[in-house]
Every structure is written in C-alpha cells, then in structure tokens.
Amino acid sequence: MTMVEQRSKPQSFIKEKAAKLEEKKKNVSLLRKGCHWVVDNQIGLSLALLAVIHGHDYFLAKGTSPFVHLQHKIVDDDQGRYNRGRRDVYYILHWVVAFTLVRATVMYKMLEPFIKWYGVRSQHKIMRFGEQGWLTIYYIFSFATGIYVMAQGPHWMNTMQYWTDYPEGHKQMTPLMKSYYLIQMGFWFQQIFVILIEERRKDFFVMFMHHIVTCNLMGWSLFTNYVRVGNAVLCCMDFSDIFLSGTKCIRYMGFKKLTNVSFVVFILSWVYTRHYLYMKIMYSVYFESQAQLDDHMWEPENLIAYRSVCYSAMEDTRSGSEGGSDDENDGSSNGKPNKSKGARQRRLSKPFRIARRRTKRKYCLRFSVFGVAATHH
C-alpha cells in the first residue's frame, strides 16, 4: 500500500463518519427535537409555569391552590395534621416543576461555570460534574431534612413506633411529614422527566426502571400509611448517596488521593446505612410488626365499603325479589334457617382467609421496604 493510499484511508473514514452523523441529525424525530428544545429552555419554561401556578394561587385561588398548599387538612385537629388524598398529586406536580428550575439553575449557572473556571476542558466531565454536584447538594438537604422529620416524630430511634397504633395512628400526618414525603416524590418524578427529555445513555433503561420502582414504592407506602418506615429507609439511602456523588465530583476535579479517601468513606457509609441500619429496619418489618399489627385490619369483611357493596347489596336483592316474603327467603320449607352457599364458603375457608391476610400483611411490608433499598443498590 502506497503512502497516498495510507493517508487517504483515514481521511475517507472521517468523512464517512461525519456523513453518517449528519444523516443521523437529519433523521431526528420531531419528538426528540421537542425534547432538545425543552432541555435548552428548562429555566425559562419552569419560571413561566411557576409564575402561572403562584399567580393563580395569589389572585384567583386566594391562597388555597392545591399546587402550592397541602390539601386534606383534618378539621378541628389540635396539631393541624393532614390525611392523604387525591389532590396531593397537584402538590407533587408543583415540585416537579420547581425541581426542574432549581436543578437547571444549579447545574448550568453555578456548577458548570465553576468547573470550567477551575480548568476542566472535557465537555463530558463538565456535564457529569454538574449532574453529580446537583445530586450531592440535594442528598445533603434531603438527608438533613429526613433526620429532622424523624427527630420530630415518635419513631426517632424507635423501630416499634413504625407499627404502634397502626393504621389509625398513622393516617394523620403532620405538615412537616407530609411536605417531606410529597416533595421527595416530586424529586423522583422529576428524575423520570429528566431522563426522558435528555440524551439517551447506555444506562437509560436501568435508571428509568430504578426511578419508576422508587416512585411506585413511595406512592405505595404513602397509600398504605407506612410513612414512618418510609422516612427511615429514605434516610438510609440518602446518606451514602452523598458520598457516592461527592466522590465522583472530586474525581472529575482531578484529586486522585482525595478521591480514594472519599471512596473509602462512601464504602463505610454504604455498609453501615444500607446493610446494618437497613437490616435493623428489615428485622422490624419481619418480627416487630407481628406484635403490633392486628390481623383483622387485613380482613376485607371488616371494611365498611366491602360490607356495603357485597353484603348489603345481596340482602337488598333478596328482600326486593318478587313472589316471596322475608320468611320465605330466610328459611327453608321445613322451618329451619337456610344457610346460604356464600356463608358456608366463608365459614369453611376461615383458616385460609387468616393465612391469606397474614401473608398479605407480611409481603406488603417487605416488598415496600426491601424494594426501596434494592433499587438504590
């Protein structure tokens, strides 16, 4: 091969690669172009949406907008506590928008300019430093807030309080607890939004499923009133995440020795929070809950709505049937009471129902608590 051919080969390869990239840019879908536009205008769009939300709250809703204020407040409650409800979704959506603004501002206006000023020129490192720096800041505030919420509640350093007086004593949440939980959900839904609009990466599917499972588990724990144990699990997750993201930032800045030290601290924090402390929570889920939770709370027949729909409806249907009296429906031809087939089935399947509701209670708790940690590992 001549020298001319050797020189022309890499040049032709570069031109071919450039042509493919250009063709790929032309074939970008309209949806992806829209995502790029949203990414480039995150700050402006978020500011506009927040202006609309808070303007509506101030001028039209007169300080009662569900987007801005907690809903489902318990009337005449001395502690000003709240129940959960459907309108909590609006509050979560507000924080999705708010976190989009804060994240974009911190990343693009603070962290990325700082790392450029520091001397880093790699665009990949600049972008990653901004992302991991934002996560480090969030996890610091999230962990500190979670510890404060726990310190204000009855479950501070007391795992038995995860289950004491459940469910009646857990349906009512303080403003601090409810705000903390809904804002946390807003953050993780915002993470889903970010991963959908930004450029796809190799770990897209893994991270997408991680965020979906996290949001699902947090929503499930809120729906079933397990916010105390949820608060404890979130604190365990957040603490080691501080050092994980922080170590990456230190690495991008080029501090090799400090990176090694920070990584060792991360490993120690990860072992302590996600194994030792988390195992204590799991022990409480498996064993301490058995002594506190009542099996009857899982029995469908004890629920008002279930009785109203199933039993009352069946009684009304029988009493309203044509061509028969109450005596004829309630007794047989020989004068003995006629036990319905459904009643016999309920009596015969009682051991099965007891085992079923105990199994349901155990696995609802274990899935909720174990799943949160599993997704973060």
Side-chain angles (χ1 to χ4, degrees):
M1 184 180 293
T2 64
M3 293 294 294
V4 176
E5 292 176 342
Q6 290 178 352
R7 291 177 182 176
S8 62
K9 185 174 182 179
Q11 290 179 356
S12 61
F13 174 76
I14 293 173
K15 289 181 180 179
E16 183 180 352
K17 188 174 182 180
K20 288 182 178 179
L21 289 174
E22 191 66 27
E23 184 179 357
K24 187 176 180 180
K25 289 181 179 178
K26 291 180 180 178
N27 295 331
V28 173
S29 65
L30 183 63
L31 178 61
R32 181 50 55 185
K33 289 181 180 179
C35 291
H36 290 165
W37 183 83
V38 172
V39 171
D40 295 337
N41 298 275
Q42 289 182 74
I43 296 178
L45 289 173
S46 301
L47 280 173
L49 285 173
L50 289 175
V52 171
I53 291 172
H54 286 270
H56 173 268
D57 175 61
Y58 183 80
F59 293 105
L60 299 179
K62 304 299 181 182
T64 61
S65 172
F67 285 97
V68 182
H69 305 278
L70 294 175
Q71 302 295 302
H72 306 287
K73 187 174 183 179
I74 302 174
V75 180
D76 298 330
D77 186 76
D78 297 336
Q79 304 178 36
R81 295 175 297 179
Y82 292 80
N83 287 321
R84 56 172 173 76
R86 294 181 178 178
R87 284 179 291 174
D88 294 335
V89 174
Y90 300 110
Y91 193 80
I92 296 173
L93 290 175
H94 167 262
W95 279 100
V96 171
V97 179
F99 276 123
T100 301
L101 173 63
V102 176
R103 178 182 181 271
T105 302
V106 171
M107 284 177 54
Y108 303 139
K109 301 299 183 181
M110 297 172 60
L111 296 176
E112 289 189 1
F114 167 77
I115 197 66
K116 290 178 182 178
W117 169 83
Y118 184 76
V120 176
R121 294 293 177 261
S122 170
Q123 190 61 37
H124 173 74
K125 290 184 178 180
I126 292 172
M127 179 184 66
R128 295 292 292 167
F129 180 84
E131 294 173 350
Q132 296 302 318
W134 154 246
L135 290 176
T136 303
I137 294 171
Y138 172 78
Y139 288 133
I140 290 173
F141 281 97
S142 177
F143 173 73
T145 305
I147 289 295
Y148 179 76
V149 170
M150 192 183 300
Q152 301 301 310
H155 57 297
W156 173 253
M157 299 300 177
N158 187 354
T159 55
M160 290 294 291
Q161 286 294 328
Y162 296 161
W163 328 109
T164 302
D165 299 329
Y166 182 89
E168 295 302 325
H170 295 243
K171 291 180 179 179
Q172 305 84 11
M173 291 178 284
T174 64
L176 180 63
M177 172 63 86
K178 185 168 184 178
S179 299
Y180 165 78
Y181 224 77
L182 296 184
I183 292 172
Q184 283 274 16
M185 293 185 68
F187 171 79
W188 287 108
F189 276 109
Q190 195 271 339
Q191 289 291 94
I192 296 176
F193 172 72
V194 165
I195 203 172
L196 289 175
I197 65 172
E198 292 186 345
E199 288 291 340
R200 297 290 173 88
R201 300 176 184 174
K202 295 180 180 179
D203 62 347
F204 167 80
F205 181 76
V206 175
M207 296 307 299
F208 179 74
M209 291 306 300
H210 168 273
H211 300 337
I212 290 291
V213 172
T214 301
C215 291
N216 177 62
L217 292 170
M218 290 194 67
W220 179 259
S221 62
L222 178 66
F223 178 75
T224 54
N225 305 303
Y226 288 124
V227 293
R228 293 182 186 177
V229 66
N231 173 211
V233 171
L234 287 170
C235 288
C236 288
M237 302 298 108
D238 289 342
F239 185 70
S240 58
D241 281 338
I242 296 173
F243 298 101
L244 175 61
S245 299
T247 301
K248 294 179 181 180
C249 291
I250 296 172
R251 178 175 175 270
Y252 295 138
M253 295 179 70
F255 296 107
K256 295 182 179 180
K257 292 183 179 180
L258 188 57
T259 299
N260 294 334
V261 173
S262 181
F263 183 73
V264 171
V265 175
F266 159 69
I267 292 296
L268 294 176
S269 67
W270 181 69
V271 171
Y272 178 71
T273 57
R274 300 199 178 190
H275 293 79
Y276 173 69
L277 292 182
Y278 181 70
M279 286 301 105
K280 293 187 69 174
I281 296 175
M282 288 301 298
Y283 176 85
S284 180
V285 169
Y286 271 82
F287 300 106
E288 293 180 349
S289 64
Q290 305 291 324
Q292 295 290 328
L293 300 183
D294 183 9
D295 287 334
H296 294 292
M297 71 180 65
W298 296 96
E299 188 173 6
E301 291 85 346
N302 290 333
L303 301 177
I304 295 174
Y306 184 92
R307 290 199 302 266
S308 299
V309 173
C310 297
Y311 297 153
S312 298
M314 288 189 292
E315 292 171 1
D316 292 341
T317 302
R318 290 197 302 268
S319 62
S321 60
E322 296 180 0
S325 62
D326 292 339
D327 293 338
E328 292 174 347
N329 289 327
D330 293 337
S332 61
S333 58
N334 58 7
K336 295 181 180 180
N338 183 21
K339 296 182 179 180
S340 66
K341 182 179 179 181
R344 289 196 301 271
Q345 290 178 342
R346 286 194 297 273
R347 185 186 72 250
L348 294 174
S349 62
K350 185 176 180 180
F352 170 75
R353 288 187 292 109
I354 293 175
R356 181 183 62 184
R357 62 175 177 259
R358 286 179 177 173
T359 303
K360 185 186 297 184
R361 181 189 68 190
K362 293 177 183 177
Y363 284 97
C364 283
L365 291 175
R366 295 170 189 175
F367 174 76
S368 298
V369 180
F370 180 74
V372 172
T375 55
H376 282 74
H377 277 283

